[in-house]
Amino acid sequence: FVDDGSKDGSSGLLRDLESKDRRISVIHLNKHSGKTQALRSGIRQARGEIIVTMDSDLQDDPKDIPYLIQKLKEGYGLVCGWRCQRKAGIFKAILSKIFNVVVSLITKIGLHDINCGIKAFRKEVVDKIELYSGLHRYIPLLVYLKGYKVTEVKVNSRPRIYGRSKYGIKRYIIAGIDLFRIIISKK
């Protein structure tokens, strides 16, 4: 688990879980540093050959993990979840659809939901990419640009129960700038 400087009490809960079960490891970041930094910290500390990421807001369904891993074992470097029946507000769903179509058209990656939080990938693959700024949303693209096969599987999308979405129009502008950086750096 990565605690990204949370102020909602989850840090204490994670410390309690960690003290009761030696299989649980928690990285406690001193302050909220963003999703990219949290993922980078978790990936660096991961010991397994396969890494599965998922957000803690309970929108991702852990029951989908075996499907991601099975697909990964078919020779893919990364398998991304695809929330084909997404449980989000209409504005967010439309922005997300536009974002995914634009990224697919520009990059030819062919994913429906590049920024889905639940993903499975091989540690050796993701260790070869650099994560900074807001590049967490482009992990599948970065893996694809390194020459690895990427795909997606349909996953459950559950309504958000905890927290609130921090994605607005500003995040899409930052995402566009990050995409531009990736494209320019690959030429």
Side-chain angles (χ1 to χ4, degrees):
F1 295 91
V2 178
D3 170 21
D4 184 23
S6 178
K7 304 278 189 253
D8 64 1
S10 58
S11 182
L13 176 66
L14 290 172
R15 286 182 200 281
D16 187 49
L17 287 171
E18 187 176 29
S19 71
K20 292 177 180 172
D21 189 334
R22 64 181 185 87
R23 297 173 299 172
I24 293 175
S25 177
V26 181
I27 300 166
H28 297 277
L29 301 179
N30 293 333
K31 61 178 184 151
H32 177 71
S33 303
K35 189 170 181 176
T36 299
Q37 176 62 35
L39 286 171
R40 184 172 61 199
S41 297
I43 290 166
R44 283 183 179 163
Q45 295 296 318
R47 295 182 302 256
E49 293 176 26
I50 293 175
I51 298 172
V52 175
T53 62
M54 60 189 297
D55 297 339
S56 61
D57 60 12
L58 302 180
Q59 287 186 283
D60 299 321
D61 189 343
K63 291 178 184 175
D64 290 323
I65 293 172
Y67 305 116
L68 296 166
I69 292 173
Q70 180 56 45
K71 196 71 173 173
L72 191 69
K73 290 180 178 179
E74 292 176 17
Y76 292 93
L78 179 141
V79 180
C80 190
W82 171 19
R83 299 164 289 187
C84 59
Q85 294 182 348
R86 191 166 184 183
K87 306 288 191 289
I90 190 75
F91 180 69
K92 185 175 179 181
I94 290 170
L95 283 178
S96 180
K97 181 74 170 171
I98 292 168
F99 172 77
N100 283 297
V101 167
V102 168
V103 171
S104 252
L105 287 172
I106 291 172
T107 66
K108 309 292 188 237
I109 193 168
L111 296 178
H112 295 90
D113 194 3
I114 193 168
N115 195 23
C116 182
I118 188 165
K119 296 175 183 67
F121 40 82
R122 299 182 185 287
K123 180 152 174 52
E124 67 188 55
V125 170
V126 79
D127 279 345
K128 295 179 181 166
I129 63 172
E130 283 188 66
L131 291 177
Y132 58 90
S133 183
L135 293 186
H136 65 275
R137 64 182 55 88
Y138 294 116
I139 291 174
L141 177 60
L142 296 170
V143 168
Y144 173 76
L145 291 172
K146 289 288 184 184
Y148 295 97
K149 291 181 3 179
V150 299
T151 192
E152 61 192 353
V153 295
K154 292 179 181 178
V155 294
N156 275 326
S157 175
R158 303 186 299 191
R160 179 184 296 272
I161 298 171
Y162 299 103
R164 61 179 176 77
S165 176
K166 295 163 193 73
Y167 289 92
I169 200 75
K170 182 180 175 186
R171 297 273 178 139
Y172 286 95
I173 292 168
I174 293 168
I177 293 167
D178 285 336
L179 180 59
F180 180 73
R181 283 186 199 159
I182 292 169
I183 292 167
I184 294 301
S185 71
K186 298 306 169 197
K187 291 194 178 206

